[in-house]
């Protein structure tokens, strides 16, 4: 068997480097801008010349952008419509069509909420009438890969359809998981508590099926649980901006739900609130998460100025509890700016819209603020204030924002201040970042001892990462995390490794999965072992000693083993090791 020399620093120095850092925790390396990063391109998306609310709700993913006009008379009065745009590169962002519900009626407000993942979008219509009940609905649209047109594939009604619950008030999508809120639903005891429904896409039929209902652990009257929702990886957040907190009316709160990687069941793990909560704070009016951090907007918080607004950042501590880590305000905050009206986080960048911010004499023009994490200061630093070049009074820029990490779309929901103009949306593209820094760290989880050694990490074809290490009490341990660093399962021990192991190495095998090699103690001495796993982390080739059938005649003196592995062009695995 042709049996990697793929450690950048050599096997011994790399092992020492990994052991040092793993004793502290696993670290996420992210790109951090060395200087303020100005937008490189501004694209303006125009709506129809009517007061239809164009730009009040926006979403973006890759080359696709959607802008809603929830009051548009698309089918009849106030049905609502959504306009689709595509980045054609040659001509920039160009309109490619209009999305309308198949059964739209007067006042449905189709487009009141939207979320998109690649070529699939969910669009909320909270005043939709179905079977004579104005209980709301959500529509699934899929972009055809050939024609480029968006087609309705499904209409979703609340499992507990009732008048006035406004199912579809807020929506959020991440891959094949979807959240839809009914923020005015009752729970049988009190009114307007709110509820959120979780859906999963059937991998065979493509139909979205209801799986769970989220309710607050302390439901109250007029709580409005589901004001806003967000989901990423194994973390979901639900805002409740009218919640009575510590005796303060409408102080607001947010609830964190997390998925058990083993059972797949979601459960509430925390209720979070601002450390400076007070009446009419409206904390939870907007929420977002990157799977590791949670950001919550409180648009009428008065920390910087009366009703200037704030945004709060939460993360897990070592005990696994969510705690407030930072409170963000605009550097030039003024009265009634409403900073935090909408928030968005991608990676280590946070955006916050301030829809009533004044700018250069323009009253209520609005603005969007960008914050980047500065590891040197261990804090979030305002790095940009985004204002369109054609801003006008009463534009309300920042009423809704969305970012996919490379681009930012900004809604200006009330147009140019004239009743006959529907509004605008803006798309900004940013240059690549310039400096690499350690930006986040978190505990590795349920390890039996902090003395875990010889760790290594590799990125797979699917975009997830595999981390492996040798255990203090023996064995090789590993964990797979998604693209945001969120573990897909708790640590696993490689089967049949109940012996002293060291110097593990990982190689990406593409569609097959990944391979591991390591040094293990046997009666013959230290020997190199190999195992193969699929991309889900399941073992497909059990561990075996590479040298067990080879006549090396080392007289039981195989020592100082540092195996490395790489994949050759024709698919063979090349493994090398050193001996003394």
């Amino acid at each position: 068997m042709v049996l990697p020399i793929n450690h950048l620093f050599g096997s011994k120095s790399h092992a020492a480097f990994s052991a040092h850092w793993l004793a502290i925790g696993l670290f996420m390396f992210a790109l951090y801008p060395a200087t303020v990063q100005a937008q490189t391109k501004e694209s303006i998306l125009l709506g129809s010349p009517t007061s239809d609310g164009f730009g009040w709700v926006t979403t973006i993913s890759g080359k696709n952008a959607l802008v809603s006009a929830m009051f548009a008379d698309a089918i009849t009065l106030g049905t609502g419509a959504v306009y689709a745009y595509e980045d054609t590169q040659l001509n920039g962002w160009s309109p490619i069509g209009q999305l309308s519900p198949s059964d739209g009626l007067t006042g449905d407000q189709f487009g009141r909420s939207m979320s998109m993942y690649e070529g699939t979008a969910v669009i909320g219509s909270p005043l939709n009438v179905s079977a004579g009940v104005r209980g709301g609905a959500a529509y699934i649209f899929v972009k055809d890969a050939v024609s480029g047109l968006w087609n309705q594939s499904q209409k979703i009604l609340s499992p507990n359809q009732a008048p006035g619950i406004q199912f579809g008030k807020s929506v959020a999508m991440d891959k094949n998981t979807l959240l839809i809120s009914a923020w005015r639903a009752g729970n049988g005891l009190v009114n307007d508590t709110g509820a959120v429904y979780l859906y999963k896409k059937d991998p065979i039929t493509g139909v979205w099926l209801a799986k769970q209902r989220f309710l607050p652990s302390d439901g109250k009257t007029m709580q409005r649980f589901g004001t806003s929702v967000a989901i990423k990886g194994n973390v979901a957040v639900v805002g409740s901006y009218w919640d009575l907190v510590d005796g303060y009316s409408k102080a607001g709160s947010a609830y964190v739900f997390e998925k058990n990687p083993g059972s797949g069941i979601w459960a509430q793990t925390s209720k979070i609130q601002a450390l400076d909560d007070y009446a009419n704070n409206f904390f939870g009016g907007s929420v977002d998460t990157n799977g590791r951090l949670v950001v919550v907007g409180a648009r009428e918080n008065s920390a910087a100025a009366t009703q200037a607004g704030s945004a709060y950042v939460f993360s897990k501590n070592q005990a696994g509890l969510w705690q407030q880590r930072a409170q963000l305000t605009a550097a030039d905050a003024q009265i009634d700016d409403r900073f935090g009206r909408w928030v968005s986080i991608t990676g280590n960048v946070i955006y916050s819209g301030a829809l009533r911010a004044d700018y250069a004499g323009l009253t209520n023009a609005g603005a969007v603020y960008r914050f980047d994490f500065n590891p040197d200061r261990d804090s979030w630093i305002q790095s940009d204030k985004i204002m369109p070049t054609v801003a006008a009074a009463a534009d309300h820029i920042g009423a809704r924002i969305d970012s996919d990490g490379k681009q930012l779309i900004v809604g200006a929901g009330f147009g140019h201040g004239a009743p006959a103009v529907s509004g605008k949306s803006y798309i900004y593209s940013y240059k690549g970042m310039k400096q690499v820094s350690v930006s986040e760290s978190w505990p590795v989880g349920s390890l039996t001892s902090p003395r875990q050694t010889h760790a290594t990490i590799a990125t797979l074809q699917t975009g997830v990462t595999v981390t492996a290490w040798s255990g203090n009490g023996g064995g090789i341990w590993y964990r797979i995390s998604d693209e945001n660093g969120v573990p897909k399962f708790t640590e696993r021990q490689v089967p049949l490794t109940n012996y002293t192991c060291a110097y593990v190495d990982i190689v990406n095998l593409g569609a097959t999965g990944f391979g591991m090699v390591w040094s293990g103690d046997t009666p013959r001495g230290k020997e190199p072992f190999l195992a193969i796993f699929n991309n889900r982390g399941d073992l497909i080739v059990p561990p075996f000693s590479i040298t067990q059938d080879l006549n090396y005649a080392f007289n039981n003196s195989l020592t100082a083993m540092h195996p490395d592995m790489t994949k050759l062009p024709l698919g063979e695995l090349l493994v090398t090791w050193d001996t003394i």
Side-chain angles (χ1 to χ4, degrees), residues 329-365:
T329 58
D332 57 350
Q334 301 177 42
I335 295 174
D336 199 35
D337 275 357
R338 306 298 174 92
F339 175 98
R341 167 61 177 80
W342 207 258
V343 294
S344 175
I345 180 171
T346 53
N348 285 319
V349 177
I350 294 174
Y351 297 100
S352 180
L355 79 167
R356 292 190 181 180
D358 298 337
Y359 176 75
L362 303 175
T363 303
N364 291 341

Side-chain angles (χ1 to χ4, degrees), residues 147-166:
S147 68
L149 299 179
W150 289 84
N151 300 307
Q152 180 181 321
S153 64
Q154 186 177 350
K155 178 180 180 180
I156 302 175
L157 297 177
S158 168
N160 301 306
Q161 185 80 342
I165 64 173
Q166 294 196 22

Side-chain angles (χ1 to χ4, degrees), residues 130-287:
S130 296
V133 177
R134 191 177 287 276
Y139 295 82
I140 303 295
F141 282 78
V142 178
K143 186 177 182 181
D144 187 271
V146 178
S147 68
L149 299 179
W150 289 84
N151 300 307
Q152 180 181 321
S153 64
Q154 186 177 350
K155 178 180 180 180
I156 302 175
L157 297 177
S158 168
N160 301 306
Q161 185 80 342
I165 64 173
Q166 294 196 22
F167 179 80
K169 165 59 174 65
S170 56
V171 296
M173 177 182 289
D174 179 43
K175 297 181 180 178
N176 294 323
T177 307
L178 169 63
L179 298 179
I180 306 175
S181 84
W183 73 324
R184 300 198 64 177
N187 65 4
L189 299 176
V190 293
N191 296 321
D192 280 0
T193 299
V196 173
Y197 298 87
L198 182 142
Y199 293 78
K200 293 284 290 184
K201 182 180 178 182
D202 187 284
I204 299 176
T205 66
V207 175
W208 294 82
L209 304 174
K211 294 297 183 180
Q212 280 189 247
R213 181 176 65 163
F214 294 172
L215 295 173
S217 57
D218 56 349
K220 310 178 187 71
T221 299
M222 302 297 289
Q223 187 171 352
R224 304 291 172 86
F225 175 85
T227 304
S228 54
V229 294
I231 185 171
K232 188 69 174 179
N234 293 333
V235 176
V237 190
V238 179
S240 181
Y241 83 147
W242 272 25
D243 193 17
L244 176 71
V245 178
D246 296 335
Y248 294 109
S249 174
K250 301 177 184 176
S253 63
Y255 295 78
V256 180
F257 292 78
E258 297 181 68
K259 183 175 71 172
N260 183 306
S263 67
I265 302 298
W266 293 76
Q268 180 185 322
T269 58
S270 184
K271 178 180 180 178
I272 56 180
Q273 62 195 66
L275 294 179
D276 63 341
D277 56 60
Y278 63 92
N280 300 314
N281 205 20
F282 295 110
F283 176 94
S286 59
V287 297

Side-chain angles (χ1 to χ4, degrees), residues 215-457:
L215 295 173
S217 57
D218 56 349
K220 310 178 187 71
T221 299
M222 302 297 289
Q223 187 171 352
R224 304 291 172 86
F225 175 85
T227 304
S228 54
V229 294
I231 185 171
K232 188 69 174 179
N234 293 333
V235 176
V237 190
V238 179
S240 181
Y241 83 147
W242 272 25
D243 193 17
L244 176 71
V245 178
D246 296 335
Y248 294 109
S249 174
K250 301 177 184 176
S253 63
Y255 295 78
V256 180
F257 292 78
E258 297 181 68
K259 183 175 71 172
N260 183 306
S263 67
I265 302 298
W266 293 76
Q268 180 185 322
T269 58
S270 184
K271 178 180 180 178
I272 56 180
Q273 62 195 66
L275 294 179
D276 63 341
D277 56 60
Y278 63 92
N280 300 314
N281 205 20
F282 295 110
F283 176 94
S286 59
V287 297
D288 201 10
T289 179
N290 63 2
R292 295 180 293 111
L293 303 174
V294 168
V295 182
V296 183
R299 65 175 185 259
E300 295 192 28
N301 175 269
S302 299
T306 303
Q307 295 182 333
S310 294
Y312 300 80
V313 184
F314 293 80
S315 65
K316 276 187 175 182
N317 59 22
Q318 291 190 356
L321 302 176
W322 291 88
Q323 62 181 16
Q324 184 176 314
R325 178 174 177 178
Q327 182 176 2
L328 309 181
T329 58
D332 57 350
Q334 301 177 42
I335 295 174
D336 199 35
D337 275 357
R338 306 298 174 92
F339 175 98
R341 167 61 177 80
W342 207 258
V343 294
S344 175
I345 180 171
T346 53
N348 285 319
V349 177
I350 294 174
Y351 297 100
S352 180
L355 79 167
R356 292 190 181 180
D358 298 337
Y359 176 75
L362 303 175
T363 303
N364 291 341
V368 176
Y369 294 81
R370 172 175 170 151
F371 293 79
D372 292 272
F373 184 74
N374 186 325
D376 298 326
R377 301 183 187 180
D378 191 30
S379 61
W380 296 84
I381 306 298
Q382 181 180 317
S383 59
D384 202 359
K385 180 179 180 180
I386 301 163
M387 285 293 303
T389 55
V390 294
D395 262 5
H396 294 91
I397 294 160
R400 187 67 63 99
I401 55 179
D402 188 29
S403 174
D404 64 359
K406 297 179 180 179
Q407 302 159 116
L408 171 71
I409 188 169
V410 178
F414 286 147
H416 260 90
V421 179
S422 64
K424 297 180 179 179
S425 285
Y426 305 85
I427 295 178
Y428 296 92
S429 299
Y430 286 83
K431 291 180 179 178
M433 303 303 173
K434 298 180 180 179
Q435 176 181 331
V436 176
S437 298
V438 175
S439 61
E440 282 296 324
S441 65
W442 64 93
V444 292
S446 56
L447 299 184
T448 56
S449 167
R451 294 180 59 194
Q452 312 298 321
T453 60
H454 308 116
T456 188
I457 190 168

